[in-house]
Amino acid sequence: DVDAAFTHNVAATLRNLTTLEANHQAIVRTPGAVKLLVDCSKSKDNSTREHVALGLHNLCTAREEAGRASVGKQNGLTVLIELSEGGT
């Protein structure tokens, strides 16, 4: 099982990277990056789940469609909706 602190750090790092739109293309082109962010949503830690929600939100609001499409393909929209409905 993945350590909770490691999961938190992964989610926080990816969230921080998504704050700059210039990073969005690199993130969505990196195999497994969006899936990893989505997978971190399974954490029981609210702070980790908040990082996931913000990271997915940032990718979904990007000007380039690649970010939104990548999030959608990885079930990220469902996760984002669940998190926004009180999952954090």
Side-chain angles (χ1 to χ4, degrees):
D1 198 25
V2 177
D3 181 74
F6 178 78
T7 302
H8 177 83
N9 289 335
V10 167
T13 299
L14 287 171
R15 180 256 179 125
N16 287 336
L17 288 170
T18 66
T19 59
L20 293 175
E21 194 163 334
N23 293 333
H24 291 182
Q25 288 297 318
I27 293 167
V28 299
R29 288 183 182 153
T30 300
V34 174
K35 183 180 183 327
L36 184 59
L37 186 60
V38 168
D39 289 347
C40 288
S41 71
K42 297 172 187 165
S43 171
K44 295 185 189 315
D45 179 61
N46 286 339
S47 179
T48 299
R49 294 165 59 87
E50 184 176 326
H51 286 307
V52 171
L54 291 169
L56 291 172
H57 172 269
N58 291 342
L59 290 173
C60 286
T61 57
R63 282 183 248 164
E64 298 89 15
E65 178 151 346
R68 296 186 301 270
S70 181
V71 170
K73 289 177 186 173
Q74 297 299 324
N75 201 35
L77 294 175
T78 301
V79 168
L80 182 57
I81 291 167
E82 288 171 357
L83 292 173
S84 69
E85 290 178 338
T88 60

